[in-house]
Amino acid sequence: ARPRTVGELLAPTSPFDKKCGRENWTVAFAPDGSYLAWSQGHRIVKLVPWAQCLSNFLLHGTKDGAGAVSARLPRQGSEGGHKSKPCEHVIDCGDIVWSLAFGSSVPEKQSRCVNIEWHRFKFGQDQLLLATGLNNGRIKIWDVYTGKLLLNLMDHTEVVRDLTFAPDGSLILVSASRDKTLRVWDLKDDGNMMKVLRGHPNWVYGCAFSPDSSILCSVGASKAVFLWDMDKYSMLRKLEGHHNDVVACEFSPDGALLATASYDTRVYVWDPHIGVILREFGHLFPPPTPIFAGGANDRWVRSVCFSHDGLHVASLADDKMVRFWRIDEEYPVQVAPLNNGLCCTFSTDGGVLAAGQDGSMYFWATPSQVSSLQHLCRMAIRRVMPTSQVKNLPIPCKVLEFLCYQI
């Protein structure tokens, strides 16, 4: 089955615009669902109000022969844009943009640097930041509402391949780089670098926080999948099972599962608390043997993400396909074509999947599935209980297996 197309946002092209440099490496939604941002290539990041975006898809779009909806957003200051409403911004970052992430502040979360009494920035509850990781190793922090540059973080010596903010509103930012390190920044302390996490033998491709911000997953070259304790800044464990570079990772909404995508043509779904592979989603049949897992470069998996319902995973591979998987089924439930896709993510409410191609964005509706009461109860329990605690509960074996996502 093919998913329903929601719409598309096309990057402007010129007669001299070549495909080289138009790679769309990253896309993100704001935590409150207010904004969508993506890299258009050629140093440019586009920021658009998501509600306005959906409205244009539904009301002002024009359907082409394929049934897709095209829409153009009013620019800031234009007749269609009002100052009181969120505005679209086009940001020139000065270098190729490899990664970006939104961060929102919770005032009660103080800076971890307790000795500093004076700060240049006092981020309030209405603050929304955008971090961009660049080709030259710099990280630029922007005010989403104004499009202005706030901070320029300089410490990495290679490409900043991925960025992630802690979901708890502390404005703790983690960056993953080709210089083999992860760096932890405290934006409430004016971008002070708090810690360097070392351990990756090669490039670090991606990183992701668990929903409670206590665990960080980082993935990279040489089959690396590492879990870090973000209270102690120490490594918890290595997850072994992939046969090639691991390029993307994301936790499930309840933190009980971890999805990783690799050039070995597979997506693995792990129990990160005990390091066990629970599901394998293959993109090549029959699956390549470990010795040939690096050779099927037309099936490399580029991106993976979890839907808000905790039931669906989306993956994007070099075989020009986007796949939607259910976590309890072996084969994809829906498939859509996409050439040259490098990144994908679900909207904040999980209803839409956004994927990038050559500087433009394409959107599909997430497969509709009414979550069972059992699954909702499982997510509620797993948000507060790791696997070790669940296994100590005095409950029947089948219920235990269900809570541990083993059935």
Side-chain angles (χ1 to χ4, degrees):
R2 284 185 64 167
R4 178 173 61 86
T5 301
V6 174
E8 59 188 27
L9 293 174
L10 302 179
T13 57
S14 68
F16 307 103
D17 197 6
K18 304 297 183 183
K19 286 294 178 67
C20 182
R22 281 286 296 277
E23 290 85 5
N24 183 344
W25 288 106
T26 179
V27 57
F29 284 93
D32 61 358
S34 59
Y35 273 91
L36 166 73
W38 75 96
S39 60
Q40 285 193 331
H42 303 305
R43 316 185 314 185
I44 301 300
V45 167
K46 191 74 171 285
L47 264 169
V48 297
W50 178 235
Q52 185 181 341
C53 206
L54 283 176
S55 175
N56 281 335
F57 288 156
L58 295 172
L59 300 177
H60 308 297
T62 55
K63 289 197 174 184
D64 59 22
V69 181
S70 302
R72 293 190 180 277
L73 295 173
R75 288 180 175 269
Q76 186 176 12
S78 69
E79 190 175 332
H82 301 284
K83 290 184 178 179
S84 59
K85 294 183 178 180
C87 292
E88 171 185 344
H89 297 288
V90 177
I91 298 174
D92 186 343
C93 295
D95 205 345
I96 297 171
V97 181
W98 286 84
S99 53
L100 55 83
F102 283 98
S104 58
S105 176
V106 175
E108 294 75 31
K109 287 282 184 180
Q110 300 298 321
S111 168
R112 293 197 183 186
C113 187
V114 295
N115 296 325
I116 303 295
E117 295 182 0
W118 181 88
H119 289 103
R120 179 181 169 195
F121 297 105
K122 289 182 172 59
F123 295 116
Q125 193 164 5
D126 59 346
Q127 192 76 34
L128 186 60
L129 306 178
L130 179 71
T132 55
L134 307 181
N135 192 69
N136 58 11
R138 295 190 178 188
I139 302 167
K140 292 187 176 182
I141 310 296
W142 309 82
D143 185 313
V144 170
Y145 300 126
T146 64
K148 292 182 178 179
L149 179 64
L150 300 178
L151 287 168
N152 200 344
L153 310 180
M154 297 176 287
D155 209 72
H156 282 296
T157 58
E158 288 281 351
V159 171
V160 180
R161 190 62 186 85
D162 199 14
L163 293 166
T164 183
F165 275 98
D168 61 6
S170 63
L171 289 184
I172 297 297
L173 174 69
V174 175
S175 55
S177 173
R178 286 184 181 173
D179 64 12
K180 307 179 186 179
T181 68
L182 297 132
R183 295 176 192 262
V184 185
W185 314 80
D186 186 352
L187 295 195
K188 288 194 174 182
D189 187 22
D190 293 339
N192 176 50
M193 192 187 71
M194 302 161 55
K195 200 73 177 177
V196 180
L197 303 180
R198 304 182 189 274
H200 279 268
N202 216 313
W203 292 0
V204 190
Y205 279 104
C207 55
F209 270 103
S210 62
D212 64 0
S213 304
S214 66
I215 298 175
L216 179 82
C217 176
S218 62
V219 297
S222 306
K223 316 172 192 176
V225 182
F226 295 168
L227 295 178
W228 307 83
D229 182 330
M230 292 307 287
D231 291 325
K232 302 176 181 176
Y233 301 115
S234 60
M235 189 182 297
L236 284 172
R237 63 178 56 89
K238 300 178 184 179
L239 303 183
E240 297 183 354
H242 278 297
H243 305 293
N244 202 339
D245 293 359
V246 190
V247 295
C249 60
E250 186 163 279
F251 284 90
S252 62
D254 60 3
L257 303 175
L258 171 70
T260 56
S262 171
Y263 288 165
D264 66 10
T265 75
R266 298 171 176 92
V267 167
Y268 285 155
V269 178
W270 309 76
D271 183 327
H273 302 284
I274 57 176
V276 173
I277 299 172
L278 300 177
R279 305 280 187 276
E280 177 182 326
F281 299 140
H283 295 66
L284 179 64
F285 299 96
T289 58
I291 195 171
F292 294 112
N297 55 6
D298 60 338
R299 295 291 192 280
W300 282 2
V301 189
R302 295 284 184 172
S303 186
V304 67
C305 53
F306 254 104
S307 176
H308 184 71
D309 61 10
L311 285 173
H312 293 94
V313 175
S315 65
L316 195 156
D318 281 350
D319 61 357
K320 304 178 182 179
M321 302 297 281
V322 176
R323 292 172 173 84
F324 293 89
W325 311 79
R326 267 187 62 103
I327 61 170
D328 54 358
E329 295 185 16
E330 185 178 356
Y331 299 102
V333 292
Q334 291 185 354
V335 178
L338 183 73
N339 292 330
N340 303 325
L342 294 171
C343 62
C344 66
T345 191
F346 281 103
S347 59
T348 307
D349 64 2
V352 174
L353 179 76
Q357 169 196 323
D358 295 333
S360 299
M361 293 303 305
Y362 298 85
F363 306 91
W364 296 273
T366 305
S368 57
Q369 182 80 34
V370 178
S371 298
S372 67
L373 185 57
Q374 289 175 322
H375 175 65
L376 294 176
C377 291
R378 172 170 61 183
M379 289 185 67
I381 293 171
R382 292 312 309 267
R383 279 191 174 96
V384 296
M385 296 187 74
T387 305
S388 57
Q389 293 181 17
V390 170
K391 288 191 171 183
N392 290 328
L393 294 175
I395 54 178
C397 290
K398 284 295 181 184
V399 179
L400 200 64
E401 290 177 2
F402 180 77
L403 290 178
C404 293
Y405 288 93
Q406 292 174 352
I407 57 173

